[in-house]
PDB file of all heavy atoms in Angstrom:
ATOM      1  N   ALA W 125     -12.889  -9.304  -0.301  1.00 95.00           N
ATOM      2  CA  ALA W 125     -12.107  -8.388   0.460  1.00 95.00           C
ATOM      3  C   ALA W 125     -12.996  -7.683   1.592  1.00 95.00           C
ATOM      4  O   ALA W 125     -14.122  -7.380   1.439  1.00 95.00           O
ATOM      5  CB  ALA W 125     -11.425  -7.300  -0.235  1.00 95.00           C
ATOM      6  N   ARG W 126     -12.391  -7.593   2.847  1.00 95.00           N
ATOM      7  CA  ARG W 126     -13.036  -6.893   3.923  1.00 95.00           C
ATOM      8  C   ARG W 126     -11.911  -5.906   4.401  1.00 95.00           C
ATOM      9  O   ARG W 126     -11.430  -6.006   5.574  1.00 95.00           O
ATOM     10  CB  ARG W 126     -13.496  -7.815   5.054  1.00 95.00           C
ATOM     11  CG  ARG W 126     -14.649  -8.727   4.589  1.00 95.00           C
ATOM     12  CD  ARG W 126     -15.064  -9.568   5.774  1.00 95.00           C
ATOM     13  NE  ARG W 126     -14.042 -10.601   5.965  1.00 95.00           N
ATOM     14  CZ  ARG W 126     -13.961 -11.314   7.136  1.00 95.00           C
ATOM     15  NH1 ARG W 126     -14.879 -11.267   7.956  1.00 95.00           N
ATOM     16  NH2 ARG W 126     -13.029 -12.172   7.178  1.00 95.00           N
ATOM     17  N   PRO W 127     -11.725  -4.806   3.676  1.00 96.00           N
ATOM     18  CA  PRO W 127     -10.606  -3.981   4.061  1.00 96.00           C
ATOM     19  C   PRO W 127     -10.803  -3.230   5.335  1.00 96.00           C
ATOM     20  O   PRO W 127     -11.936  -2.928   5.721  1.00 96.00           O
ATOM     21  CB  PRO W 127     -10.588  -2.935   2.932  1.00 96.00           C
ATOM     22  CG  PRO W 127     -11.756  -3.132   2.061  1.00 96.00           C
ATOM     23  CD  PRO W 127     -12.376  -4.444   2.423  1.00 96.00           C
ATOM     24  N   PHE W 128      -9.773  -3.171   6.102  1.00 96.00           N
ATOM     25  CA  PHE W 128      -9.771  -2.381   7.470  1.00 96.00           C
ATOM     26  C   PHE W 128      -8.608  -1.298   7.474  1.00 96.00           C
ATOM     27  O   PHE W 128      -8.762  -0.170   8.041  1.00 96.00           O
ATOM     28  CB  PHE W 128      -9.760  -3.312   8.603  1.00 96.00           C
ATOM     29  CG  PHE W 128      -8.490  -4.151   8.629  1.00 96.00           C
ATOM     30  CD1 PHE W 128      -7.451  -3.839   9.363  1.00 96.00           C
ATOM     31  CD2 PHE W 128      -8.370  -5.365   7.848  1.00 96.00           C
ATOM     32  CE1 PHE W 128      -6.307  -4.619   9.419  1.00 96.00           C
ATOM     33  CE2 PHE W 128      -7.383  -6.169   7.917  1.00 96.00           C
ATOM     34  CZ  PHE W 128      -6.209  -5.829   8.670  1.00 96.00           C
ATOM     35  N   LEU W 129      -7.521  -1.550   6.800  1.00 95.00           N
ATOM     36  CA  LEU W 129      -6.430  -0.656   6.926  1.00 95.00           C
ATOM     37  C   LEU W 129      -6.629   0.600   5.983  1.00 95.00           C
ATOM     38  O   LEU W 129      -6.479   1.718   6.427  1.00 95.00           O
ATOM     39  CB  LEU W 129      -5.099  -1.293   6.465  1.00 95.00           C
ATOM     40  CG  LEU W 129      -4.419  -2.231   7.480  1.00 95.00           C
ATOM     41  CD1 LEU W 129      -3.204  -2.936   6.959  1.00 95.00           C
ATOM     42  CD2 LEU W 129      -4.070  -1.537   8.736  1.00 95.00           C
ATOM     43  N   ARG W 130      -6.922   0.352   4.804  1.00 95.00           N
ATOM     44  CA  ARG W 130      -7.179   1.517   3.849  1.00 95.00           C
ATOM     45  C   ARG W 130      -8.325   2.300   4.365  1.00 95.00           C
ATOM     46  O   ARG W 130      -8.162   3.550   4.351  1.00 95.00           O
ATOM     47  CB  ARG W 130      -7.343   0.896   2.424  1.00 95.00           C
ATOM     48  CG  ARG W 130      -6.106   0.248   1.837  1.00 95.00           C
ATOM     49  CD  ARG W 130      -6.356  -0.419   0.489  1.00 95.00           C
ATOM     50  NE  ARG W 130      -7.122  -1.637   0.787  1.00 95.00           N
ATOM     51  CZ  ARG W 130      -7.808  -2.251  -0.050  1.00 95.00           C
ATOM     52  NH1 ARG W 130      -7.652  -1.936  -1.440  1.00 95.00           N
ATOM     53  NH2 ARG W 130      -8.467  -3.379   0.233  1.00 95.00           N
ATOM     54  N   PRO W 131      -9.526   1.774   4.642  1.00 97.00           N
ATOM     55  CA  PRO W 131     -10.522   2.660   5.118  1.00 97.00           C
ATOM     56  C   PRO W 131     -10.142   3.470   6.380  1.00 97.00           C
ATOM     57  O   PRO W 131     -10.684   4.481   6.574  1.00 97.00           O
ATOM     58  CB  PRO W 131     -11.716   1.608   5.402  1.00 97.00           C
ATOM     59  CG  PRO W 131     -11.447   0.520   4.515  1.00 97.00           C
ATOM     60  CD  PRO W 131      -9.902   0.469   4.461  1.00 97.00           C
ATOM     61  N   ALA W 132      -9.422   2.750   7.277  1.00 97.00           N
ATOM     62  CA  ALA W 132      -8.963   3.510   8.461  1.00 97.00           C
ATOM     63  C   ALA W 132      -8.205   4.769   8.128  1.00 97.00           C
ATOM     64  O   ALA W 132      -8.328   5.828   8.592  1.00 97.00           O
ATOM     65  CB  ALA W 132      -8.083   2.552   9.442  1.00 97.00           C
ATOM     66  N   PHE W 133      -7.259   4.581   7.066  1.00 96.00           N
ATOM     67  CA  PHE W 133      -6.467   5.731   6.633  1.00 96.00           C
ATOM     68  C   PHE W 133      -7.378   6.932   6.095  1.00 96.00           C
ATOM     69  O   PHE W 133      -7.164   7.935   6.457  1.00 96.00           O
ATOM     70  CB  PHE W 133      -5.497   5.194   5.607  1.00 96.00           C
ATOM     71  CG  PHE W 133      -4.709   6.396   5.072  1.00 96.00           C
ATOM     72  CD1 PHE W 133      -3.662   6.944   5.725  1.00 96.00           C
ATOM     73  CD2 PHE W 133      -4.964   6.807   3.731  1.00 96.00           C
ATOM     74  CE1 PHE W 133      -2.940   8.015   5.144  1.00 96.00           C
ATOM     75  CE2 PHE W 133      -4.303   7.853   3.132  1.00 96.00           C
ATOM     76  CZ  PHE W 133      -3.385   8.505   3.873  1.00 96.00           C
ATOM     77  N   GLU W 134      -8.229   6.343   5.283  1.00 96.00           N
ATOM     78  CA  GLU W 134      -9.159   7.341   4.584  1.00 96.00           C
ATOM     79  C   GLU W 134     -10.055   8.102   5.576  1.00 96.00           C
ATOM     80  O   GLU W 134     -10.242   9.296   5.484  1.00 96.00           O
ATOM     81  CB  GLU W 134      -9.990   6.675   3.420  1.00 96.00           C
ATOM     82  CG  GLU W 134      -9.198   6.297   2.328  1.00 96.00           C
ATOM     83  CD  GLU W 134      -8.542   7.423   1.541  1.00 96.00           C
ATOM     84  OE1 GLU W 134      -9.051   8.634   1.500  1.00 96.00           O
ATOM     85  OE2 GLU W 134      -7.404   7.195   1.064  1.00 96.00           O
ATOM     86  N   ALA W 135     -10.527   7.325   6.642  1.00 97.00           N
ATOM     87  CA  ALA W 135     -11.467   7.977   7.538  1.00 97.00           C
ATOM     88  C   ALA W 135     -10.667   8.854   8.439  1.00 97.00           C
ATOM     89  O   ALA W 135     -11.304   9.835   8.960  1.00 97.00           O
ATOM     90  CB  ALA W 135     -12.148   6.847   8.261  1.00 97.00           C
ATOM     91  N   LYS W 136      -9.534   8.687   8.773  1.00 97.00           N
ATOM     92  CA  LYS W 136      -8.822   9.382   9.865  1.00 97.00           C
ATOM     93  C   LYS W 136      -7.680  10.258   9.457  1.00 97.00           C
ATOM     94  O   LYS W 136      -6.965  10.821  10.357  1.00 97.00           O
ATOM     95  CB  LYS W 136      -8.383   8.395  11.054  1.00 97.00           C
ATOM     96  CG  LYS W 136      -9.498   7.778  11.737  1.00 97.00           C
ATOM     97  CD  LYS W 136     -10.381   8.829  12.528  1.00 97.00           C
ATOM     98  CE  LYS W 136     -11.458   8.129  13.342  1.00 97.00           C
ATOM     99  NZ  LYS W 136     -12.135   9.117  14.223  1.00 97.00           N
ATOM    100  N   LYS W 137      -7.378  10.446   8.188  1.00 94.00           N
ATOM    101  CA  LYS W 137      -6.272  11.173   7.816  1.00 94.00           C
ATOM    102  C   LYS W 137      -6.438  12.609   8.244  1.00 94.00           C
ATOM    103  O   LYS W 137      -5.392  13.155   8.609  1.00 94.00           O
ATOM    104  CB  LYS W 137      -5.974  11.060   6.259  1.00 94.00           C
ATOM    105  CG  LYS W 137      -7.039  11.518   5.345  1.00 94.00           C
ATOM    106  CD  LYS W 137      -6.596  11.117   3.974  1.00 94.00           C
ATOM    107  CE  LYS W 137      -7.704  11.507   2.899  1.00 94.00           C
ATOM    108  NZ  LYS W 137      -7.329  11.124   1.625  1.00 94.00           N
ATOM    109  N   GLU W 138      -7.533  13.238   8.149  1.00 95.00           N
ATOM    110  CA  GLU W 138      -7.735  14.630   8.596  1.00 95.00           C
ATOM    111  C   GLU W 138      -7.504  14.757  10.152  1.00 95.00           C
ATOM    112  O   GLU W 138      -6.941  15.648  10.634  1.00 95.00           O
ATOM    113  CB  GLU W 138      -9.095  15.119   8.183  1.00 95.00           C
ATOM    114  CG  GLU W 138      -9.238  15.257   6.646  1.00 95.00           C
ATOM    115  CD  GLU W 138      -8.286  16.146   5.909  1.00 95.00           C
ATOM    116  OE1 GLU W 138      -7.908  17.151   6.574  1.00 95.00           O
ATOM    117  OE2 GLU W 138      -7.807  15.872   4.891  1.00 95.00           O
ATOM    118  N   ALA W 139      -8.042  13.717  10.845  1.00 97.00           N
ATOM    119  CA  ALA W 139      -7.820  13.706  12.359  1.00 97.00           C
ATOM    120  C   ALA W 139      -6.435  13.518  12.713  1.00 97.00           C
ATOM    121  O   ALA W 139      -5.903  14.040  13.663  1.00 97.00           O
ATOM    122  CB  ALA W 139      -8.751  12.648  12.891  1.00 97.00           C
TER     123      ALA W 139
END
Side-chain angles (χ1 to χ4, degrees):
R126 293 181 292 167
F128 58 97
L129 285 175
R130 292 171 291 166
F133 173 78
E134 289 300 325
K136 292 295 185 171
K137 62 185 175 186
E138 297 299 325

